[in-house]
Amino acid sequence: ILKFSLLLLNLEEYYFEQHRANHILHKGSHHERKIRGSLKICSKSAIFEPDAISQPIIKIPLRDCIKIGKHGENGANRHFTKAKSGSISLIFSQVYFIKEHNVVAPYKIERGKMEYVFELDVPGKVEDVVETLLQVSTCWVENSKQTEITAILQSRLARTSFDKNRFQNISEKLHMECKAEMVTPLVTNPGHVCITDTNLYFQPLNGYPKPVVQITLQDVRRIYKRRHGLMPLGLEVFCTEDDLCSDIYLKFYEPQDRDDLYFYIATYLEHHVAEHTAESYMLQWQRGHLSNYQYLLHLNNLADRSCNDLSQYPVFPWIIHDYSSSELDLSNPGTFRDLSKPVGALNKERLERLLTRYQEMPEPKFMYGSHYSSPGYVLFYLVRIAPEYMLCLQNGRFDNADRMFNSIAETWKNCLDGATDFKELIPEFYGDDVSFLVNSLKLDLGKRQGGQMVDDVELPPWASSPEDFLQKSKDALESNYVSEHLHEWIDLIFGYKQKGSGAVGAHNVFHPLTYEGGVDLNSIQDPDEKVAMLTQILEFGQTPKQLFVTPHPRRITPKFKSLSQTSSYNASMADSPVSPGEESFEDLTEESKTLEIFLICPLLIIKLDSTLKMFSKESKMLQRSISFSNMALSSCLLLPGDATVITSSWDNNVYFYSIAFGRRQDTLMGHDDAVSKICWHDNRLYSASWDSTVKVWSGVPAEMPGTKRHHFDLLAELEHDVSVDTISLNPASTLLVSGTKEGTVNIWDLTTATLMHQIPCHSGIVCDTAFSPDSRHVLSTGADGCLNVIDVQTGMLISSMTSDEPQRCFVWDGNSVLSGSQSGELLVWDLLGAKISERIQGHTGAVTCIWMNEQCSSIITGGEDRQIIFWKLQY
């Protein structure tokens, strides 16, 4: 059984070589024992795969390595070096344990300084392996990253060539050979491509998963040039007419190599296979020679969509609108979704909100901040059959249980009502394999808020089984109604309404980064910045290649069976509450709130979508308005000296803005998901994120624009189980309190980066937290309306007071608390009397932020009603 897979690597990581070895436990002691396996050297990690299925795979990130060398090279064991030279010693601060007992589950992490010793079967290899590990780990320490790794990879490829002994036949004639990578979802594997007069070969550099992949040219039916990572470097080969998945997908380093290979195979195919264009498929479909499913599959293929590329996975439409009836009536037009509108325009009220925002937005404008297809969405649907892909994409974690693909009806409802959910479907919904709907691997995908475990997907009442659900979905896709309207959806996704004025008129405008040519990667000089931009684009999702520039014709009366009447099906719906529209994955802009305002004095800084605005308190005039990102800003602060503003964004970045020079001077790309809150103290930045971490960075931003960008050092990473929504520091910055999406308050000791207390004291999100001036207590407010006081020393909940609505934010002077409510009211809390002592009508919408000066004499509040209100405190 293969335990190891390339999915254990990080994104953009390569697997170079492997060596048979023993992992030596308790080296030199009476308890010494050996675990047999193989040591794999990769570009970002060393991975040990034990032979025994019960033992976990060990993954050591090279950036966490403190020392790499031969075991016994220095110190007390110096005289025994020769005897022990067959061993490699790794001293590191963090290690991952994966697939223990070969069970797919979230990775286990162990932290703290430790040493692992690996004894190679071939002692003579030790020097080379140590040198490789040192060479690769230096790239991560010195931050030269991708350029260096690419150089190491290219030099390895240059030193090797295709092994001609692998030819099927000694009489084969070599036509061309070049370097390339074999592409599978989320990972690529470098090696050598070779084409002869009869075969196409790929030989991986690392011999994984087999020494050579061979395809007989006579079997090839279709080939497509592919855009991979926005570059014209891909080539995909199919040996079938209608299959969803190809036989091999290659990515070349030079467009010329790709084009030469394509030309050679295409010339060969000319004598065997007729070439198909979008127009030729369209005519076949119009005349009823292709089913709707087959036609959509072919269009996806022609538009660069591939099962091997999750950022360009084939996209299929939602067809059915009715997920609540006990019978599915395919003769009723009301059963179907309106195929002339994108998902984002199906709900009139939501569309009106999005259009208002679109009108107010500076160029480049977009209506939807997330896409209809992205790697996150594909794996949302496929987690039950591709759990390792989700773990790879999400750093060894599954998504939150309530955000999983739990129910068809719930998912559809969220696509209709969710503020940032506009996803379409994938071909599997109209295929024959039900396994993506069933938890047949018995994965532990977590427990939902109602207490039930995530298991099989909940089906609509009209489906008696997963097989029945797929059959009815297929019947719906091939129904008369869909055949008459499918061309309207094709116009949106592949046709003339995809871009330009047609897209604007059809309310079909997505983020500029999702369109081909939306960004010129070649204009970005910094290789690491280029990789970061590319990663953002690939994770965000891409619009298919445009296939038609004029309206797509309708279908002529189909020549296949359609359903004139549907039988009656009864199935009771499982009695489970539908979770409130949890947004999944790409929540890239904030549409649900009209306005968030964040305050800093003497400047007031507010956020509308992605805009930072500065007002003069004295003149009450707007002084600056800056847009950093195309996504919502989440928090901001003014650095000491009043010269720099730091702001965090839902685009995973933190931005530094110079007030003096009026421009952005630095960007910190520090997280894998939205940054929710930032704090600063003594040249240290603390950032909280929905990626379930709080990170501590050291760094002084550049003093002047134009100076070299500052390098931020990651000092500590505070791991949480779920999204972190708020953090705050005690006055001395020795302690940090964090509040999570699931209502837990965590108190951390920053001197050791350890968790002191974890207190689950809110039901629902923790909105705001703060320490008392003497650091002895922590106060928290939440969406549950509670105001809790916690003792820092013991972690005990001292008191809990309730109000009848969420308390979004608060300030306190150690005695009294002033909080801002969802309704716009300001509440004064008497902590000693444990009661609300006063209610003040403040805003007409939720109070989103509140600021108090050091003298506790002035207060400023901001709210969803777009008002900023100044208050004087009278004692």
Side-chain angles (χ1 to χ4, degrees), residues 590 595-598 605-611 632-634:
E590 181 170 57
L595 178 72
E596 284 275 12
I597 299 187
F598 294 91
I605 301 182
I606 67 172
K607 178 263 277 188
L608 168 61
D609 286 326
S610 59
T611 316
L633 301 182
S634 56

Side-chain angles (χ1 to χ4, degrees), residues 717-781:
E717 189 169 324
L718 313 180
E719 288 269 358
H720 295 66
D721 297 331
V722 291
S723 304
V724 185
D725 282 274
T726 184
I727 51 168
S728 57
L729 301 167
N730 71 334
S733 288
T734 52
L735 301 173
L736 179 143
V737 59
S738 58
T740 72
K741 192 187 70 177
E742 290 191 349
T744 303
V745 172
N746 305 280
I747 300 174
W748 299 83
D749 180 345
L750 290 176
T751 58
T752 56
T754 52
L755 181 62
M756 291 166 59
H757 304 294
Q758 193 171 31
I759 309 104
C761 55
H762 289 278
S763 57
I765 199 166
V766 180
C767 296
D768 203 359
T769 55
F771 283 91
S772 59
D774 61 9
S775 299
R776 285 170 55 188
H777 298 113
V778 158
L779 198 137
S780 64
T781 59

Side-chain angles (χ1 to χ4, degrees), residues 147-220:
T147 9
E148 291 292 323
I149 298 294
T150 305
I152 293 168
L153 173 65
Q154 289 302 330
S155 110
R156 281 172 166 260
L157 285 167
R159 291 199 305 269
T160 53
S161 62
F162 185 85
D163 177 7
K164 310 293 186 295
N165 294 323
R166 294 284 176 185
F167 281 175
Q168 293 282 300
N169 192 311
I170 50 169
S171 60
E172 274 183 69
K173 293 188 184 67
L174 173 69
H175 177 72
M176 76 174 276
E177 180 186 340
C178 64
K179 299 176 288 190
E181 294 176 10
M182 187 163 132
V183 178
T184 50
L186 298 182
V187 283
T188 60
N189 202 14
H192 296 276
V193 167
C194 188
I195 192 161
T196 67
D197 52 349
T198 52
N199 290 297
L200 169 67
Y201 297 97
F202 176 77
Q203 186 171 28
L205 192 59
N206 49 32
Y208 179 87
K210 53 185 181 177
V212 72
V213 177
Q214 176 258 330
I215 285 172
T216 308
L217 292 181
Q218 219 171 336
D219 294 341
V220 175

Side-chain angles (χ1 to χ4, degrees), residues 316-491:
F316 269 59
W318 283 98
I319 293 291
I320 298 166
H321 183 280
D322 175 6
Y323 292 100
S324 56
S325 299
S326 56
E327 290 180 29
L328 189 67
D329 182 1
L330 296 182
S331 62
N332 176 10
T335 298
F336 298 93
R337 164 251 179 114
D338 183 345
L339 288 164
S340 68
K341 294 175 181 172
V343 169
L346 292 174
N347 177 333
K348 196 160 169 281
E349 289 77 24
R350 177 176 66 177
L351 180 63
E352 281 167 7
R353 289 199 300 275
L354 293 170
L355 290 178
T356 305
R357 196 192 65 146
Y358 175 73
Q359 309 300 342
E360 295 171 356
M361 194 181 281
E363 291 292 346
K365 293 169 175 280
F366 56 90
M367 293 170 190
Y368 311 112
S370 64
H371 205 250
Y372 48 77
S373 171
S374 72
Y377 289 157
V378 174
L379 296 181
F380 168 84
Y381 290 128
L382 296 182
V383 64
R384 288 167 179 79
I385 50 168
E388 289 184 80
Y389 291 90
M390 184 178 267
L391 291 174
C392 176
L393 189 72
Q394 305 215 134
N395 300 320
R397 287 192 293 261
F398 287 131
D399 203 34
N400 173 277
D402 283 296
R403 279 211 302 255
M404 285 277 185
F405 178 34
N406 289 307
S407 140
I408 309 279
E410 196 176 298
T411 304
W412 169 243
K413 183 181 185 302
N414 212 37
C415 290
L416 280 186
D417 303 338
T420 54
D421 196 348
F422 315 109
K423 58 178 171 285
E424 291 279 8
L425 295 181
I426 53 175
E428 282 79 355
F429 278 81
Y430 304 101
D432 298 315
D433 185 355
V434 299
S435 50
F436 77 104
L437 297 168
V438 182
N439 186 14
S440 53
L441 298 175
K442 297 294 171 228
L443 301 165
D444 180 356
L445 297 170
K447 188 180 283 190
R448 301 190 62 186
Q449 278 182 356
Q452 69 272 43
M453 298 299 292
V454 174
D455 199 27
D456 298 349
V457 177
E458 189 181 313
L459 302 172
W462 45 256
S464 58
S465 65
E467 291 77 9
D468 186 44
F469 172 77
L470 286 191
Q471 185 56 54
K472 291 196 169 105
S473 297
K474 287 191 281 190
D475 293 344
L477 179 63
E478 304 302 341
S479 68
N480 278 339
Y481 178 89
V482 173
S483 294
E484 286 162 16
H485 294 276
L486 189 59
H487 64 284
E488 298 171 330
W489 187 81
I490 292 169
D491 284 338

Side-chain angles (χ1 to χ4, degrees), residues 33 180 406 687:
R33 68 187 183 101
N406 289 307
S687 56

Side-chain angles (χ1 to χ4, degrees), residues 491-594:
D491 284 338
L492 295 169
I493 307 297
F494 304 106
Y496 83 109
K497 290 182 178 177
Q498 189 200 80
K499 299 179 185 169
S501 57
V504 176
H507 304 134
N508 195 36
V509 182
F510 292 85
H511 194 288
L513 288 182
T514 65
Y515 294 97
E516 190 170 11
V519 65
D520 179 11
L521 279 179
N522 293 324
S523 67
I524 303 173
Q525 297 304 312
D526 182 332
D528 295 332
E529 205 175 307
K530 187 182 282 191
V531 167
M533 172 60 80
L534 181 61
T535 305
Q536 186 181 337
I537 290 167
L538 299 185
E539 288 181 359
F540 197 174
Q542 294 172 75
T543 301
K545 190 161 77 183
Q546 192 171 17
L547 300 178
F548 307 103
V549 291
T550 55
H552 191 289
R554 310 174 49 130
R555 188 166 198 171
I556 304 161
T557 313
K559 293 180 181 167
F560 56 89
K561 179 180 75 183
S562 70
L563 297 182
S564 52
Q565 105 176 59
T566 51
S567 324
S568 148
Y569 295 85
N570 284 313
S572 65
M573 196 163 190
D575 208 24
S576 74
V578 171
S579 82
E582 279 275 357
E583 313 304 343
S584 57
F585 300 106
E586 276 68 22
D587 296 359
L588 289 172
T589 54
E590 181 170 57
E591 286 98 355
S592 56
K593 299 170 186 169
T594 38

Side-chain angles (χ1 to χ4, degrees), residues 595-600 604-607 634-636 677 767-768 807-811 818-821 824-826 843 845-852 859-864 867-869 871:
L595 178 72
E596 284 275 12
I597 299 187
F598 294 91
L599 309 173
I600 296 166
L604 304 189
I605 301 182
I606 67 172
K607 178 263 277 188
S634 56
S635 90
C636 62
K677 181 82 186 280
C767 296
D768 203 359
Q807 299 301 309
R808 295 277 292 270
C809 51
F810 68 86
V811 288
L818 181 71
S819 68
S821 306
E825 261 191 335
L826 295 172
H843 294 262
V847 183
T848 54
C849 53
I850 189 164
W851 175 89
M852 182 165 66
I859 283 176
I860 306 172
T861 57
E864 283 184 356
Q867 299 294 311
I868 300 165
I869 304 177
W871 305 82

